[in-house]
Each structure stands twice: as C-alpha cells, then as structure tokens.
Amino acid sequence: PDATKEVLELSDKLSKQIAEALGITSQVAASSAKFGEEIGSRGNVKDMTDPSQIAAFVDGVIRATAMMERQASTYTTDLASMNEKVERLQLEVSTIRQDAVTDALTKIGNRRHFDLNFSTAINVAREAGEPLTLCIVDLDHFKQVNDQYGHATGDQVLRLMASVVKDCTREGDIVARYGGEEFVIAMPGTSIQKSLNVVERIRLTMENKRITKRSTSENIGSVTASFGLTQMRAGDTAAAMIERADKYLYEAKENGRN
C-alpha cells in the first residue's frame, strides 16, 4: 500500500511536469507564430525602393529575431530543467517499483515478484513444450533458532539461505522469499533430474555451513532445510504446482527433514 501511494504521488508529479512541458511547447509555437506575423506585417522587401524603408525593415527584422532568440533561449533552459525533473521522477518510480517486488531483508524477490512471474513462466513453458519445475524450500526448526538465539540471528540465517539459493540457481530462474522461512524456486527449461541436482546442491551447502552468532561469536552449528520439488504437468496451474510442491515439502518434513 505504501509503495502504491508513492507511485501514485510520483505519477501525479510526472503528469504536472509533462503538462508544464506541453505549456512551454505551446508558448514556443505561439512565439513562432507571432514572429511570423510581425515579419509579415512589415511588408515584402522586394516591393521596397526607398533605402530608409528597407533599413527600417531590416532593423525591425533584427530586433524581432533578437527577441525570438532570447525567448527561445529561455524556453530551451526551461525545457532542459523540466527534462531533468522528469528523469528524476522516472528513476524514483522505477526504484519504488523494484522495491515493491524485492524482499527487504534478503534482497531477493518477494512473494509478489514470484506471483507476477510464475504464471507467465507456466504459459511460456507450455507454449514452448519445455519443462518447468518448482521447488518450495523451508528452513528446519527455524522457530527454535529465533527463540534460542534471537531474531537478529534468525535474520542472519534467512539472508544466508537466500544467498545460497541465489548462488546455486541461474539468472533465468525465479527465486523469491515466499514468506517467513519459506523460499520458492521456479526453474524454466529444467528437467526434474537437473532440478534435483540443484536442490541437492542447495541442501548440502546449507548443511555444511557453520553459523556464528554475530553479536557474541557463538557457534550455533548448521541450519538445514527441507524441500518439495515438482515438475509441471499437463493442465497445471500455478496454484496446482504450489499445492503439490507444498505436499512434497510436508512429506520431507515428516520423513526426517534436511
């Protein structure tokens, strides 16, 4: 909601800046028309035979041209300033949009990022006839970590999990913190066996990490994770794949975790 409000406010500012730019453009057009009328009102130099009349005509043209140049210079400066303001606002809008799909703690995608991209990935995979796999990852006994070592250490573990997942996946994979201690990975164009290799690499990496509580340098050992992995089937929706992966995750938890 806050991000939406900020985007709306910035969009309003952009609209005002664009309106001002259009106003300046209208002023330029009006000034050009006025310049043309003023020159035209002085007659046609071809019809002039009196040197003083020609001199007066030339003097008028010079003064009108100088005035037009001053106005044009002002308009150019105003438009350049307006362009800078618009570019800054566009950058702010882009930053807010990025923040809206990024998990503030782990700096990977959030649930909104995943929801926006996963359905698209399903459609693309179906049209291309390529595989698509989905993995749900959940840290084991994470509540105990928070209770025993504090939420700061819990946050440290979440950031570690996000880093491991990011390091073990490809740039084209959809990686996100789905909520709490749960992460999701969608792997387009990846078979179930190759995805299993990725998942196993993540699992082993987490199992072998030794975590130290930063505030006290206390060694708290490793925090493992459990996984639910599934491949897209005919007629699958995003919800169906998530439900199935979640079911397999639950089975992994029931059968010893890690």
Side-chain angles (χ1 to χ4, degrees):
D2 290 341
T4 301
K5 181 181 177 183
E6 288 186 68
V7 169
L8 289 174
E9 289 175 351
L10 287 173
S11 296
D12 185 52
K13 289 181 182 178
L14 271 173
S15 297
K16 290 178 180 177
Q17 295 295 339
I18 291 169
E20 286 184 39
L22 290 173
I24 293 172
T25 303
S26 298
Q27 290 175 9
V28 171
S31 295
S32 298
K34 185 177 179 181
F35 176 76
E37 289 172 4
E38 188 169 343
I39 297 300
S41 68
R42 295 180 181 277
N44 193 332
V45 72
K46 292 180 181 180
D47 300 329
M48 299 177 187
T49 55
D50 185 345
S52 62
Q53 189 181 15
I54 294 173
F57 176 85
V58 172
D59 181 62
V61 170
I62 290 172
R63 282 188 284 105
T65 302
M67 182 178 293
M68 184 64 185
E69 286 177 347
R70 287 194 298 272
Q71 290 176 336
S73 177
T74 300
Y75 295 146
T76 300
T77 301
D78 289 345
L79 283 172
S81 174
M82 200 71 61
N83 186 56
E84 287 179 9
K85 291 178 182 178
V86 169
E87 286 180 351
R88 283 199 300 269
L89 288 170
Q90 288 175 328
L91 181 60
E92 287 183 52
V93 170
S94 176
T95 300
I96 290 170
R97 284 176 174 166
Q98 184 60 39
D99 288 346
V101 293
T102 302
D103 179 60
L105 177 66
T106 62
K107 305 306 179 185
I108 63 172
N110 59 15
R111 182 165 182 163
R112 177 176 172 78
H113 166 78
F114 180 78
D115 290 342
L116 287 171
N117 289 280
F118 185 47
S119 293
T120 300
I122 289 176
N123 293 333
V124 170
R126 183 172 289 122
E127 289 176 7
E130 295 180 347
L132 171 68
T133 53
L134 171 68
C135 180
I136 298 181
V137 187
D138 190 87
L139 289 165
D140 296 328
H141 305 297
F142 185 70
K143 186 177 183 303
Q144 292 179 18
V145 174
N146 276 332
D147 291 345
Q148 186 172 351
Y149 300 103
H151 288 279
T153 301
D155 289 349
Q156 182 183 335
V157 172
L158 289 170
R159 284 191 291 266
L160 172 63
M161 182 79 247
S163 176
V164 169
V165 169
K166 197 69 178 172
D167 288 345
C168 292
T169 52
R170 305 166 304 174
E171 187 176 339
D173 295 336
I174 305 167
V175 174
R177 182 183 174 196
Y178 205 58
E181 65 270 28
E182 198 167 69
F183 296 79
V184 282
I185 311 163
M187 292 172 269
T190 309
S191 68
I192 194 71
Q193 185 56 53
K194 288 183 179 179
S195 297
L196 187 60
N197 293 338
V198 172
V199 169
E200 180 63 8
R201 189 158 63 248
I202 295 171
R203 187 193 70 78
L204 281 172
T205 303
M206 280 301 293
E207 182 183 44
N208 291 323
K209 290 283 184 182
R210 292 298 174 264
I211 302 167
T212 301
K213 184 176 180 179
R214 287 177 180 167
S215 59
T216 63
S217 297
E218 179 184 359
N219 186 355
I220 67 173
S222 64
V223 176
T224 61
S226 296
F227 305 80
L229 177 67
T230 189
Q231 182 167 290
M232 185 179 75
R233 301 172 183 173
D236 259 346
T237 61
M241 288 189 70
I242 291 169
E243 183 179 354
R244 195 163 60 246
D246 199 51
K247 174 191 169 193
Y248 296 150
L249 170 65
Y250 179 78
E251 290 179 4
K253 294 280 188 181
E254 288 291 295
N255 285 281
R257 304 176 190 268
N258 192 24

